[in-house]
Amino acid sequence: MYLNCKTFFSLRYGTMHVETLVEQARQLGITTLALTNINITSDAWTFVTECRKHDIKPVLGVECRNEHTRCYLLLAKNQQGWFHINKFLSHKLHTEEPFPERAPLLPDTFVIYPWGTQDPLALHEHELLGVSVRDINKLFRVDTLAIRKKLVIMQPVTFQDELHYELHQVLRAIDQNILISQLTPDTIAAPDEMFIHPADLVAHFEQYPHIVENTLAVLDACEVEMQMGIPRNKKIFSGSIEEDRQLLRDLAFEGMIHRYGQTDELEQARERIEKELDIIAKLNFESYFLITWDIIRFAQERKFFYVGRGSGANSIVAYCLRITDVDPIELDLYFERFLNLHRSSPPDFDIDFSWKDRDTITEYIFDKYGAEHTALLGTVTTFQTHAIIRELGKAYGLPKKEIDRILTGGLTIQLNEDNIQRKILHFCQLMDNQEKSFPNHLSIHAGGILISDEPIHHYCTTYFPPKGFSTAQLDMFQAEAIGLYKFDILSQRGLGHIRDAIDLIKQNHGVDIDIHQVQAFMKDEQVKHNLRNVNTIGCFYIESPAMRQLLTKLRCDNYRSLVAASSIIRPGVAQSGMMKQYIERYNNPDSVQYLHPVIEELLKETFGIMVYQEDVIKVAHKFADMELADADRLRRAMAGKYRGYKDLEQIQLRFFRNCDAKGHPRHVSEEVWRQIASFANFSFSKAHSASFAVESYQSLYLKTYYPAEFMVAVINNFGGFYSRELYFNQLKQTGVRLHAPCINHSDYVTNIKGKDVYVGLIHIEGLEQALAERILTERKDYGPYLHLEDFVERIGPGPEQLEILIRIGCFNFTGYTKKELLWKGSLLVRGREVKQIHHLPLFKPAPVDCTLPQLSYHTHEDAFDEIDLLGFPLQSPFSILQHNQSAYILARDFPKYIGKEVIALGYYVTMKMLRTSRGEPMCFGTFLDAEDQFIDTVHFPDSLRQYPFQKGGFYQLQGRVVSEYGVITLEISQMRKIGYFEDKAQ
């Protein structure tokens, strides 16, 4: 009898988690329940699972609404009906068309209209009228027996109790961005939209038993058939499974010749391919490999740069199909870490593309596999604590200043001053429950794409967000629960650096770079030199201060060391103490004591430390004689991937039983087990690290041989660890001539031609994009600008925009000073209308010939205009500083002062905050000295408390010079901010 139940996935309307809804139904003895959320089906299969746990029959449907108007319910009789409901709702969400007053005829579907909205005698067989408890008095003088087959009980369930009714009102106010007091009855639910005990509900309809009977008959006619967890990805790539197997085999062995040629590893590669193909065939995962290969093939044809990373790099088949560039034989990577017979879910490839190319890849997938079978994976954005406080405060009418004070002063302390604040705190706690946080809106997963065997609407509704691709109303966990596994098509700024650098190198030098020749890059002496000397700014994953320090401590100049560094730099590893231990052992290998000769054999490369997840598998396999698949289960169980404690107990028993059988001393076996337990939670996939290292080498090769083009590409992709200022600083060090933006030479992004680099118009703060694009289009169509007058006549800029262009140096080519240009410009644009389209005059205007006053000019003025309009000066900031710099120690001289106090002058680059083991804040700083050399600083809690950072600029740095494994840092004892015009050292 409960045909109209909602959860909090009726966004900003319902208040119940699906578990709460089902649990309340169970407590009331309800045996059949329908979920009909408003215009959304996101938690439909979670609902099905919960109902089946409690022996409640689930019924699926949707409540169709046009804004605040409830149109009708749609209930699925069976799986086909559910498909048509999803398809109908998806069409409306894609087109944003309103729902029609009368629902269309959908196969295997009931339509239930609210009482009074339709003539019961005009209804089709599948159409019904719903009567709520509030509607019963409207049945007076209605011959309900004549329409008995058309009437059902439709008592909405929206919230669980009176308290949550108030929360419902708050949510409705948030949704409409109004005060609670401004809510109107048509925008909120009625106060009685809660569960009514079945006996009481029947009692309300005691004069109309035929309505009760018909309601039960409708529910009885509905049946959800779908089972959970059955693989539902596209099963066949070509014509049949047999054809897929043969194609995958052919591609793998063809790729083997390309990858290994006639090397000594060829026979080993052949054996490993056979082994992997056998496991892939037993799991029926050929299509997953082939679809990924097809995506890669499309990218290669268009010369899109990509990186295949993740645990897929453990697969030699993936390596031979060129999905990854990591050789699993070279790094002794176990396929079982990626795929084994205990795994029911498909393999997981992460494919990174440049952010400029990813949409094209996505379009290809939709075109190739069909819009009916393809969707982006959705995700659910929940209300976050600060956002909840702000929204609740607005709904209750709190002033913005009071809300800001609450947010900055600590929630639990502040929210106790009056009844309103206590309500806000209480509702905040209800909505921000860690396990059941309220969904706020649907969004898009970072890179997941679903390709289903059956049309996607058999499983979910899709919608059409601004991204422009059909997106499932499912998140990753819901999709996996019903057997839909994602392909990860990701975008990465680091790949944009590489892609654009390759293009710029082609344009500037006429050279084609094959960026996938990674093996050659690893052997290149110049690349090794730059890696060893951490000349890595701009390079993916190896440019941060922490990474550069780690590489220095490891004297890293080879692939294996870089792979290890990419793993131990991760926060979990560093915090566990493993990173420090690894560095010590790396620098003192002769002092390493191994637990057992087998452990030495297995972990000599990492000095007895299980750095990688693969190390856990390796030790369990070879030390404890466990099958590789069981070893991976151990790894996953230790890392919290398994919830079955009994399963872990059985694995532990097998581990020790096998160790005893091999004759290992018990105390050694126990220590190995302890280390597995402590490392498994922190260790990182070696395949992931290897993938990162490959991309690092690709970036570093480009930086080594084409540093200027590479740095321009970094700047143009607006992504990296550092600010634009540092990247422009690095660009200048490559020997280019860096020019301010120019209307005749700049493009929208920064360009490079020979040794000349012009800053792009995009970097000018306050310059309108439409104007910048018009300037470039006009120049392309009608030639360069002759002078200021020509520009004003052709473009017709507003006075503010013209002033910006003059101040940043766009008219330096005219030979006039900026002040002279500003004087002329004010005369030219006074009273003139701003142009939107080109108007070419019959005769070119001559420059204005007028006598200008003698205007003073100071060299620092350009720099301060640049700081104002670009955010930084194009010349060295040290050249502008009016301050005695002669007394300071430079970074290159720090080695002379190890253990001693020095005073240095640093220009702020970046900082990283963290907490000590006691929870006190401290930080690491990075500065540049006058020679553009880095100064790395350490600010312990006392120092940081006494001398905090004050944004960017210059700092006088006093501290002790410390050296550790070649890394020199300054432990700050005093720090002072210095202004540009401070004329003497203090």
Side-chain angles (χ1 to χ4, degrees), residues 433-601:
N433 183 304
Q434 189 170 3
E435 294 183 359
K436 301 177 182 178
S437 293
F438 270 56
N440 187 4
H441 57 83
L442 297 183
S443 187
I444 306 172
H445 184 272
I449 297 181
L450 304 175
I451 305 174
S452 59
D453 208 37
E454 295 291 326
I456 197 79
H457 293 137
H458 277 290
Y459 317 114
C460 66
T461 300
T462 58
Y463 69 111
F464 211 65
K467 185 72 177 174
F469 295 102
S470 177
T471 303
Q473 285 187 344
L474 294 172
D475 66 17
M476 179 176 70
F477 305 104
Q478 294 163 329
E480 288 183 356
I482 63 174
L484 280 171
Y485 294 89
K486 61 185 169 60
F487 291 81
D488 276 317
I489 307 299
L490 303 160
S491 69
Q492 188 201 107
R493 294 278 173 175
L495 296 189
H497 302 169
I498 294 172
R499 173 192 184 274
D500 286 0
I502 291 170
D503 291 343
L504 289 170
I505 292 163
K506 175 70 172 175
Q507 294 167 19
N508 218 25
H509 298 280
V511 176
D512 286 305
I513 302 291
D514 183 355
I515 201 64
H516 292 285
Q517 296 297 313
V518 181
Q519 293 294 330
F521 303 162
M522 293 173 184
K523 297 171 185 174
D524 188 287
E525 289 302 323
Q526 285 299 112
V527 173
K528 285 184 178 182
H529 175 80
N530 272 347
L531 184 57
R532 190 163 47 245
N533 290 278
V534 292
N535 181 16
T536 57
I537 300 298
C539 296
F540 173 77
Y541 210 69
I542 55 173
E543 66 167 333
S544 71
M547 191 60 162
R548 289 188 298 104
Q549 289 183 21
L550 175 59
L551 294 176
T552 302
K553 291 177 181 178
L554 299 179
R555 304 185 302 281
C556 178
D557 67 355
N558 62 83
Y559 180 42
R560 287 178 180 271
S561 294
L562 184 56
V563 172
S566 299
S567 182
I568 64 174
I569 193 69
R570 294 176 63 79
V573 182
Q575 290 167 10
S576 71
M578 284 173 59
M579 183 168 79
K580 183 178 180 181
Q581 190 177 12
Y582 182 86
I583 293 168
E584 290 173 354
R585 293 188 179 193
Y586 184 97
N587 284 279
N588 301 284
D590 295 337
S591 66
V592 177
Q593 295 183 345
Y594 295 92
L595 281 169
H596 191 276
V598 174
I599 298 297
E600 181 175 8
E601 176 192 342

Side-chain angles (χ1 to χ4, degrees), residues 624-673:
D625 202 24
M626 297 177 73
E627 293 291 332
L628 283 169
D630 285 336
D632 185 55
R633 291 172 76 196
L634 168 61
R635 191 267 314 167
R636 291 163 64 198
M638 286 293 192
K641 299 291 177 69
Y642 276 155
R643 295 184 179 178
Y645 181 70
K646 290 183 179 178
D647 190 44
L648 179 56
E649 276 187 337
Q650 291 172 358
I651 294 173
Q652 182 177 358
L653 287 171
R654 192 177 312 137
F655 177 89
F656 283 109
R657 188 167 57 243
N658 289 6
C659 288
D660 293 343
K662 288 179 72 71
H664 298 320
R666 187 71 179 196
H667 71 278
V668 173
S669 302
E670 288 175 349
E671 177 59 20
V672 171
W673 178 265

Side-chain angles (χ1 to χ4, degrees), residues 854-880:
Q854 191 70 30
L855 302 169
S856 63
Y857 175 76
H858 299 284
T859 55
H860 64 259
E861 291 178 14
D862 283 347
F864 282 99
D865 278 335
E866 289 160 3
I867 291 171
D868 187 32
L869 296 172
L870 296 178
F872 54 90
L874 294 176
Q875 58 186 284
S876 169
F878 288 89
S879 66
I880 314 162

Side-chain angles (χ1 to χ4, degrees), residues 596-784:
H596 191 276
V598 174
I599 298 297
E600 181 175 8
E601 176 192 342
L602 297 176
L603 300 180
K604 195 171 184 66
E605 179 189 331
T606 54
F607 312 100
I609 297 174
M610 295 181 213
V611 170
Y612 311 110
Q613 293 173 352
E614 286 82 354
D615 290 338
V616 174
I617 301 171
K618 189 191 303 183
V619 169
H621 173 53
K622 293 191 176 177
F623 181 78
D625 202 24
M626 297 177 73
E627 293 291 332
L628 283 169
D630 285 336
D632 185 55
R633 291 172 76 196
L634 168 61
R635 191 267 314 167
R636 291 163 64 198
M638 286 293 192
K641 299 291 177 69
Y642 276 155
R643 295 184 179 178
Y645 181 70
K646 290 183 179 178
D647 190 44
L648 179 56
E649 276 187 337
Q650 291 172 358
I651 294 173
Q652 182 177 358
L653 287 171
R654 192 177 312 137
F655 177 89
F656 283 109
R657 188 167 57 243
N658 289 6
C659 288
D660 293 343
K662 288 179 72 71
H664 298 320
R666 187 71 179 196
H667 71 278
V668 173
S669 302
E670 288 175 349
E671 177 59 20
V672 171
W673 178 265
R674 186 197 67 76
Q675 290 188 12
I676 288 175
S678 62
F679 292 155
N681 224 7
F682 297 111
S683 58
F684 190 47
S685 166
K686 190 175 185 179
H688 276 280
S689 297
S691 302
F692 287 167
V694 164
E695 188 177 340
S696 298
Y697 266 107
Q698 291 167 323
S699 297
L700 190 55
Y701 174 81
L702 296 173
K703 181 179 174 69
T704 300
Y705 286 99
Y706 303 96
E709 288 79 10
F710 176 75
M711 204 53 63
V712 170
V714 171
I715 289 167
N716 286 344
N717 278 273
F718 297 89
F721 187 87
Y722 301 98
S723 67
R724 288 176 301 158
E725 179 175 10
L726 184 75
Y727 294 128
F728 273 107
N729 172 282
Q730 292 282 301
L731 174 61
K732 285 187 292 184
Q733 294 183 40
T734 67
V736 300
R737 292 179 289 272
L738 182 61
H739 303 277
C742 174
I743 58 165
N744 279 338
H745 292 97
S746 287
D747 297 322
Y748 193 57
V749 295
T750 300
N751 63 37
I752 179 169
K753 294 171 185 174
K755 288 289 186 180
D756 289 295
V757 174
Y758 283 87
V759 176
L761 300 181
I762 190 174
H763 295 290
I764 305 173
E765 185 72 29
L767 182 66
E768 296 169 359
Q769 182 176 346
L771 176 61
E773 291 172 349
R774 200 161 80 247
I775 291 169
L776 298 174
T777 302
E778 171 76 18
R779 188 179 78 200
K780 178 183 175 184
D781 293 343
Y782 301 102

